[in-house]
Amino acid sequence: EDGVPVVARGEGLLQIARRYGISVNELIAYNNISDPNHIYTGQQLLIPGLYTESSLQYGALANPEALPA
């Protein structure tokens, strides 16, 4: 899958967490989701170990060579 994962229509945190082999609690904590019942279609999610906030800011995967020094 290319780019930052986004919530698809009808998709929940459980499906996303399973896809990336993490727990729902990890996904919630890593994305600072205050109410897991209020996620929305198109919402971008960071995945522990794959993406960082900097990668979103600069449009790159968590790759040190791709991010500014």
Side-chain angles (χ1 to χ4, degrees), residues 1-4 7-8 10-11 15 18 21-22 25 27 30-31 34 37 40 42-46 49 55 58 62 66:
E1 195 169 306
D2 293 334
V4 177
V7 178
E11 188 172 44
Q15 292 89 354
R18 283 183 176 164
I22 60 174
N25 288 336
L27 189 59
Y30 201 75
N31 287 278
S34 58
N37 295 312
Y40 56 89
Q43 180 176 349
Q44 293 183 331
L45 296 174
L46 298 173
S55 68
Y58 296 106

Side-chain angles (χ1 to χ4, degrees), residues 28-52:
I28 290 169
Y30 201 75
N31 287 278
N32 297 314
I33 297 172
S34 58
D35 186 349
N37 295 312
H38 285 94
I39 60 169
Y40 56 89
T41 300
Q43 180 176 349
Q44 293 183 331
L45 296 174
L46 298 173
I47 305 299
L50 293 181
Y51 305 100
T52 66

